[in-house]
Amino acid sequence: MILKTANLSRNYGPIKALNQLNLQVNQGEILGLLGPNGSGKTTTLALVLGILHRTDGNYEWFEGRYNNPLINIGSILENPNFYGYMSGWDNMQIIQKIRNVKEGKLQELSELVGLKDRIHSRVKTYSLGMKQRLAIACSLIGDPEVLIFDEPTNGLDPQGIADIRNLILQIAGMNKTIIMASHILSEVEKICTHTAILNKGKLIASGPVSSILQSGNTFVISSSSHELLAQKISEMPGFRNMEKSENQLTVNFKEGVLAENINTFCLNNGIVLSGLVKKSYSLEDAFLKLLSEQK
Amino acid sequence: MKKLFFLLDLEMTKYKSNITMKVLLLSLVVIFPLAVLLVSGLIERIAVDQFRQILLSADLFWMLSGYISNWLVFFFMSFLGIFIVTMEYSNNTLRQNLITGLNRVEFLLSKLLSLAVISLLLTLWFYFITILFSIYLSIEIEFNPYELLSVLSAHVIMCFGYGVVGLLFGMVFKSMGLSIILFLLYASILEPAFAGLAHRSILGGNGHLFYPLNTIKDLFPFPYLEFANTLVGPEENLKFSLSIKEALLSSSTYILIFIGLAYIKMKKGNF
């Protein structure tokens, strides 16, 4: 196990920025920490990185294997932070020194993030996208087991977003555990294997992305006997509600109702189905649905 | 020991291309000998022969040189102390250093170490310039090792003390401009006003000399204050400044307290 939090909490006066978070991250997972602004994503990361003091609860990195676990974690929290008067190279050297790495492969990393030609320029002359790429290079110094990215594409233009996303996908291929906070759902859907959704400081869902996308038991059903189908399906055991469109029905059933149950029920009622598909949500649908359930 | 070199090396990497740091250091290195030259030149021109010999005697010349350094170091080291920590706050690099793996104590230690090394280097410069001008002004210097050590220790502690006070102001107020303004306000108005007016009129005695910045300042007080006693008569027994032993002891105590406060601030802070 890489990270485990137990009832981790942080209050700002009466405000519960993080409320009893229980989360587990396993090796090789790419966890997307999702939530609207102010949901507690950055607070969670700041707590587990030790720059915020917790109000309650606990957390443990690497099952307590290392004295200083942060040496094995490359992280970017909010904006990339550098000494602007220094070159990208010198900034990388500082990280290398703190991590006590003899061979930091700085040249290799600057090439990986596409900064080879500008690495000796002062960071204050860099664009935000270049700083973000430098931050990613810095996070990789010392080949850490875990990477933490907090809103890595914040403030970038579409090209910059695509570049960073490709870079993260490339890094994900290096078999690293990645924890990424974001409110850009398409980004998480494309990159992450697992997700944890926070709202108002509380964890409202977590698990593999695929299970979140398929949460709920909704089927899209169609038949030439459209009206009959609509009438009969509402009588089926486990029926919850349905949305009608011109030639298909989107029907929500209770958990446990399977496609074969629906098919058999329809056949027994003299309806031949021309279409029966379990509906997959986009992460955005799933996210909004979970949030509305919270309300 | 290895750890200390590592922290010092880390700090030097941060400073080597920092223009503010270079300008501050270079200004002090240049201004100090110029100031000694100016003041000793003035004394030579203005004072009558009899006084000239006393004013520029070996003992007093060390104190005069130290007093000039005191003024310059007051600004330089306190600003430097403020600068090296507020720079980390304003760039958010303190946060980045911590999440990269540097722990809070190491971070504070690295700042204190760099202030200590700069204090040592400035003291060497002070020693070198004072000796140089002694030769230039034909002042006969007797090398009493105990006294020399005491003067040099006082100079190191003075530089370090101002630096630590600046560092603490920077850690508390986080913004460089605000820290400098509040430091100057405290040093030039609040402490003197409180010590000189409130303390003396309420409590009396010499306790007003034992305020933090005054104890550091009195490591090298105005060298000719002792003459005041000869002018007003010994029965008045005016005490204008702390003795070197009192100043060394009290300023060192304050420095330890300030380091303790900085440690607590660093340990309890959220970044």
Side-chain angles (χ1 to χ4, degrees), chain B residues 7-17 114 117-118:
Chain B
L7 292 174
L8 208 54
D9 178 41
L10 183 67
E11 284 301 291
M12 290 308 130
T13 311
K14 290 178 188 176
Y15 302 150
K16 70 180 181 189
S17 50
S114 51
V117 168
I118 292 167

Side-chain angles (χ1 to χ4, degrees), chain A:
Chain A
M1 196 196 317
I2 295 292
L3 170 68
K4 187 180 181 180
T5 71
N7 298 321
L8 192 61
S9 306
R10 167 76 197 185
N11 300 347
Y12 292 102
I15 298 162
K16 290 184 174 179
L18 194 66
N19 190 1
Q20 302 202 311
L21 176 72
N22 291 298
L23 189 66
Q24 195 169 311
V25 183
N26 295 310
Q27 183 137 23
E29 285 181 8
I30 303 174
L31 175 79
L33 206 52
L34 284 177
N37 289 332
S39 58
K41 303 184 297 290
T42 301
T43 302
T44 303
L45 298 181
L47 283 168
V48 296
L49 288 172
I51 55 170
L52 266 187
H53 291 292
R54 57 189 185 264
T55 309
D56 198 11
N58 220 328
Y59 65 90
E60 188 181 50
W61 282 105
F62 307 107
E63 296 178 84
R65 284 203 308 275
Y66 302 111
N67 281 337
N68 185 0
L70 293 180
I71 296 286
N72 285 295
I73 303 166
S75 33
I76 309 169
L77 208 53
E78 291 180 304
N79 301 315
N81 304 311
F82 296 108
Y83 299 92
Y85 58 89
M86 286 166 59
S87 67
W89 184 264
D90 286 344
N91 273 286
M92 287 175 88
Q93 278 194 322
I94 285 185
I95 306 285
Q96 179 175 277
K97 283 180 181 172
I98 294 176
R99 292 241 161 97
N100 199 15
V101 180
K102 287 208 173 77
E103 182 49 66
K105 299 179 182 171
L106 305 190
Q107 191 66 40
E108 218 173 280
L109 290 173
S110 58
E111 277 175 37
L112 174 77
V113 298
L115 277 178
K116 189 181 148 200
D117 297 334
R118 291 291 307 277
I119 200 67
H120 294 288
S121 306
R122 288 184 179 197
V123 169
K124 67 180 173 191
T125 65
Y126 285 15
S127 68
L128 181 60
M130 290 165 78
K131 283 182 189 165
Q132 202 64 270
R133 281 186 275 152
L134 178 63
I136 290 175
C138 285
S139 71
L140 289 167
I141 293 172
D143 198 20
E145 290 176 46
V146 180
L147 292 166
I148 293 181
F149 300 130
D150 182 17
E151 309 281 5
T153 55
N154 237 6
L156 298 181
D157 60 20
Q159 182 60 52
I161 291 172
D163 288 349
I164 296 295
R165 187 189 294 141
N166 290 336
L167 200 53
I168 293 175
L169 281 169
Q170 212 176 327
I171 294 164
M174 297 173 181
N175 200 26
K176 298 208 178 285
T177 305
I178 300 177
I179 302 173
M180 187 174 89
S182 180
H183 56 251
I184 302 175
L185 303 169
S186 58
E187 192 174 279
V188 172
E189 199 172 340
K190 281 180 186 146
I191 296 173
C192 297
T193 59
H194 289 69
T195 182
I197 301 177
L198 290 170
N199 188 34
K200 294 177 184 166
K202 290 204 85 163
L203 182 69
I204 57 172
S206 67
V209 171
S210 53
S211 76
I212 300 271
L213 295 182
Q214 289 187 351
S215 64
N217 199 21
T218 305
F219 291 85
V220 179
I221 309 169
S222 54
S223 166
S224 52
S225 322
H226 190 62
E227 287 306 317
L228 180 64
L229 175 66
Q231 184 204 328
K232 288 291 175 192
I233 207 82
S234 62
E235 294 164 7
M236 183 179 159
F239 171 85
R240 268 186 176 153
N241 54 52
M242 107 178 111
E243 273 175 40
K244 282 185 189 174
S245 61
E246 203 175 318
N247 50 12
Q248 64 182 30
L249 304 174
T250 305
V251 190
N252 185 241
F253 293 98
K254 286 180 183 167
E255 289 301 321
V257 176
L258 305 172
E260 60 208 68
N261 302 137
I262 301 166
N263 202 9
T264 310
F265 176 83
C266 290
L267 279 174
N268 291 344
N269 285 282
I271 303 164
V272 177
L273 297 178
S274 56
L276 172 60
V277 179
K278 184 159 187 183
K279 186 176 176 182
S280 262
Y281 286 93
S282 70
L283 194 54
E284 189 171 332
D285 294 333
F287 177 71
L288 294 174
K289 186 168 165 276
L290 283 162
L291 287 190
S292 67
E293 279 171 12
Q294 282 286 303
K295 284 172 191 167

Side-chain angles (χ1 to χ4, degrees), chain B residues 60-78:
Chain B
L60 285 176
F61 189 68
W62 274 108
M63 295 313 285
L64 175 68
S65 173
Y67 179 68
I68 294 167
S69 178
N70 191 345
W71 267 103
L72 297 174
V73 161
F74 164 76
F75 289 105
F76 171 78
M77 284 303 286
S78 53

Side-chain angles (χ1 to χ4, degrees), chain B residues 67 70 191 195-196 200 205-211 213-244 246-247:
Chain B
Y67 179 68
N70 191 345
E191 188 183 294
R200 282 185 80 181
N206 292 321
H208 66 284
L209 295 173
F210 286 92
Y211 278 75
L213 279 179
N214 193 66
T215 62
I216 301 173
K217 200 180 79 184
D218 278 0
L219 289 165
F220 285 97
F222 184 60
Y224 308 127
L225 280 176
E226 288 303 313
F227 290 116
N229 267 330
T230 56
L231 293 175
V232 296
E235 66 280 0
E236 293 287 333
N237 194 24
L238 292 175
K239 190 169 167 101
F240 294 101
S241 61
L242 298 171
S243 71
I244 184 80
E246 287 171 330

